[in-house]
Amino acid sequence: MKSDFTPDNSGLDIRETMDGKPVAVPTAESALASVAADAARAKKAIKSARPDHYIWGIYIMFLLISVVELFSASSSEVSSSNVYSPLIRHGLFLVAGVAIVLGLQRTHYVVLKRMAWIFAVFSLALLVLSSVAGVEINGAQRAIRLAGMTIQPAEIIKLAAVLLLAAILSKNQAPGGVTNSGVIQCAVVVMIFGGLLWSNGLTNMILLMGVSLSMFLIGGIQWKKLGIVLLVYGVCAGALMMIKYTKPDTSNFDEVRQESVVAGTDTKKEAGRADTHKGRLARWLAGTNPDDKIDDMNRQVIFSNFAQANGGIFGQGPGNSRESARLPLAFSDYIYSIIIEDTGLVGGCCIILLYLLLVLRAGRVAYKCSRAFPAFLIMGCAVLIVFQALVHMAIVTGLFPVSGQPLPFISKGGTSILVMSAAIGMMLSVSRYAVTSGNKHEIKAEKNALPEDLQASNFSNYTINQ
C-alpha cells in the first residue's frame, strides 16, 4: 500500500488505494474552510432572518379585536368614576404580552429547548402551590395571588407541556414514526400534568390530552401506538372520574352550590365541585327552553343564547351589545357571545377563520423546517391556541357543557394573555431561526451549529433534508 499522496490545486488529496487506483480526499485545509463557510452562512442567515409576517399580522388582528370587544363586554365592570378602567387594565396586559412576543422572537429556539424541563418543573410547582395555598376563583381553588396580580398556573402548565412534548418527540424521531421510548415518555408527562390539572378543571385536562394527541399525529406516530395511548388516556381519565364522583354526597346539588358568579363564593367546596360538574353535564344534556325560569344555574347559558340570537347575521355593531350588562363573565368566559351580538354570524365566522389561518400558517412553516424540534414547537403552540379557542366557542354555542375557558388574546385574563403571547413568541422564534429554505448549505450549517439532541430531521419533510 502506498502511503504518499500528491496534492493538487482543487483542495483534494490524490491518494492511492491498495490496488493502485487514485482516490480524491479533501485536505484538512479544505475541510476547515468548508466548516468556516457553513458557519459564515449560518451567521448571515440568522442576522438577516425575519419573523413570519403572517403570524405577526394575525396576532395584531387579535389584539385589535380584543380592545374593541373587551370594552363592549365590560359594561358590568364600568364604574361611574372611570368608564375606561377595565380597558386600561386589559390594555396593560396586552402591552406586556407584546413585550413578551418581541423578546421571545429574538430568542433562538435552542434556548427554548434547554429551558423545557426547567419551565415544566416551575409550572408544576406553581400548580401544586395553587392547590395547597391558592385563592378561589368562581368556586375553585386554582390561582395564586402575587403582588396584587392573580396567576393561574393551569394556563402556564399547558404551554410548559407543549414545550416539553416538543423536546421529547424531537429527540425520539425515526423514519417510521415516534419511537416506543418517546411515546412512553410523552404519555407519562401528559398523565402527570393532566392528573394535576384535574383539580383545576376537567376541560383543562381534556385540552392537554387533545393537544398531545395532535402532536403525536404530527410526529407520525403509528396507528397502533396511537390506539394504545388513547386506551391509556381513557383508563386514567375514567379512574380519576370514579375517584372524584363516587364520593358520598353530603347534600343535594342545588343545596350545595348556587353558581352565582357575581358573588364568586362556594360554601361547600369539596362536595360542591363534583356536584357542580354533574349538574353542568345534566343541564347540558337537558338543553335550554325559552320557557325556562332564569336562575343562578342557567343564567350564563340563557343570556349567552340571547346575545347570539340578538346578533343575527351582521350584528348590532361594536359597542351596541345589550346583554353584556347582565351576562356574567361576558368579558372572559362568554366573550364570543358578545362578539356575535356585535358583529353577527359573519363576525363570529371571521374569528374562527383567523384562528384556523394561524394553525395553517404554522403548519406551512413546520413542513419546511429541516429539524424536528422547531417543527414540533411551532405546531404545538398553534394547536394549543386554536384548540382552546375552539373549546371556548363550543362552550358558548352550547356544543360543550359549561366550563371556564378564555378566548385566546381576546378574553380578559392576565395569565391567559401573557401565556398565549409567549406561545406566539415561540412560534415567531421558530419562523425566524429555523432553516426553511430547502437550501442544502443552510441545512448543513444549521445542523452543525445545533447540539446533538436537536439534530433530528423533520421527517415530514424528509426529502428536503437529504
Side-chain angles (χ1 to χ4, degrees):
M1 177 179 178
K2 295 183 180 181
S3 59
D4 56 341
F5 60 88
T6 305
D8 63 4
N9 295 327
S10 64
L12 300 174
D13 292 339
I14 308 301
R15 304 191 182 212
E16 292 186 5
T17 60
M18 294 182 64
D19 56 4
K21 294 181 179 180
V23 177
V25 179
T27 63
E29 291 81 3
S30 65
L32 290 174
S34 176
V35 172
D38 286 339
R41 276 190 289 265
K43 284 185 176 182
K44 182 179 179 182
I46 290 175
K47 187 176 180 180
S48 62
R50 294 291 183 271
D52 189 88
H53 56 276
Y54 290 104
I55 296 176
W56 254 116
I58 294 171
Y59 175 60
I60 291 172
M61 283 295 298
F62 282 134
L63 298 186
L64 294 176
I65 294 169
S66 179
V67 171
V68 174
E69 293 302 327
L70 195 280
F71 184 69
S72 177
S74 298
S75 59
S76 62
E77 285 198 320
V78 170
S79 63
S80 58
S81 60
N82 188 357
V83 297
Y84 296 106
S85 58
L87 186 61
I88 292 173
R89 291 196 301 269
H90 183 66
L92 291 175
F93 280 112
L94 293 181
V95 171
V98 171
I100 290 174
V101 171
L102 291 173
L104 286 176
Q105 76 165 5
R106 295 176 177 272
T107 305
H108 199 286
Y109 62 83
V110 173
V111 178
L112 300 178
K113 193 271 178 184
R114 290 173 179 167
M115 295 295 294
W117 281 101
I118 298 174
F119 187 30
V121 172
F122 173 73
S123 61
L124 283 173
L126 287 179
L127 191 64
V128 172
L129 180 61
S130 69
S131 300
V132 175
V135 296
E136 288 188 12
I137 295 181
N138 296 330
Q141 188 172 327
R142 61 182 70 180
I144 300 172
R145 188 83 66 183
L146 181 64
M149 176 181 172
T150 302
I151 301 173
Q152 298 197 38
E155 298 295 324
I156 302 174
I157 203 170
K158 288 182 285 190
L159 182 58
V162 166
L163 183 59
L164 189 56
L165 289 177
I168 295 173
L169 287 171
S170 64
K171 191 177 180 180
N172 292 275
Q173 280 288 283
V178 185
T179 64
N180 292 337
S181 175
V183 173
I184 293 172
Q185 290 179 53
C186 289
V188 170
V189 167
V190 172
M191 286 188 290
I192 293 175
F193 281 38
L196 292 172
L197 276 174
W198 172 263
S199 61
N200 284 261
L202 176 62
T203 311
N204 285 322
M205 185 185 74
I206 295 175
L207 185 61
L208 177 60
M209 289 183 173
V211 171
S212 68
L213 291 173
S214 298
M215 295 182 71
F216 280 141
L217 290 172
I218 293 166
I221 187 175
Q222 298 88 335
W223 289 108
K224 181 179 179 181
K225 294 179 182 178
L226 182 63
I228 295 174
V229 171
L230 283 170
L231 180 62
V232 171
Y233 282 2
V235 170
C236 292
L240 284 172
M241 292 180 71
M242 288 182 64
I243 293 172
K244 192 174 186 70
Y245 292 152
T246 54
K247 292 180 179 180
D249 295 335
T250 58
S251 60
N252 179 267
F253 170 76
D254 291 332
E255 297 173 354
V256 170
R257 169 170 163 81
Q258 295 290 318
E259 292 182 283
S260 176
V261 295
V262 177
T265 58
D266 195 348
T267 57
K268 297 184 179 180
K269 181 174 58 180
E270 290 299 324
R273 290 309 297 172
D275 284 343
T276 296
H277 295 158
K278 292 179 183 179
R280 287 174 174 175
L281 182 59
R283 290 192 298 276
W284 174 68
L285 292 174
T288 57
N289 189 287
D291 297 328
D292 289 345
K293 181 181 178 181
I294 299 176
D295 56 27
D296 288 335
M297 297 297 183
N298 60 18
R299 186 184 305 276
Q300 287 178 310
V301 175
I302 290 180
F303 286 145
S304 173
N305 291 341
F306 285 170
Q308 294 170 67
N310 189 41
I313 301 297
F314 298 105
Q316 302 298 316
N320 292 324
S321 169
R322 72 183 187 193
E323 300 300 334
S324 61
R326 57 179 182 172
L327 172 60
L329 300 180
F331 47 80
S332 57
D333 293 351
Y334 279 85
I335 197 169
Y336 187 62
S337 62
I338 304 303
I339 292 175
I340 295 178
E341 186 177 15
D342 283 352
T343 62
L345 177 64
V346 173
C349 291
C350 287
I351 295 293
I352 297 175
L353 182 61
L354 272 178
Y355 284 109
L356 294 180
L357 286 175
L358 180 65
V359 77
L360 287 174
R361 186 59 189 172
R364 178 64 176 169
V365 175
Y367 177 76
K368 295 171 67 177
C369 286
S370 64
R371 302 295 109 197
F373 175 74
F376 278 118
L377 181 58
I378 191 171
M379 282 306 300
C381 290
V383 168
L384 173 63
I385 294 170
V386 175
F387 269 25
Q388 180 157 320
L390 293 177
V391 168
H392 172 97
M393 296 173 190
I395 292 170
V396 170
T397 56
L399 295 176
F400 284 1
V402 173
S403 181
Q405 284 296 327
L407 186 61
F409 309 114
I410 299 178
S411 290
K412 178 185 176 182
T415 307
S416 176
I417 291 173
L418 299 182
V419 170
M420 292 302 170
S421 296
I424 288 288
M426 292 180 184
M427 294 172 65
L428 290 170
S429 171
V430 169
S431 70
R432 183 175 190 177
Y433 294 115
V435 172
T436 58
S437 66
N439 183 292
K440 291 186 177 181
H441 291 294
E442 291 185 7
I443 292 172
K444 182 179 178 182
E446 181 186 38
K447 183 177 181 180
N448 292 337
L450 293 175
E452 185 177 352
D453 59 347
L454 282 178
Q455 293 185 5
S457 296
N458 177 17
F459 289 104
S460 66
N461 195 11
Y462 188 68
T463 55
I464 293 181
N465 301 334
Q466 301 307 303

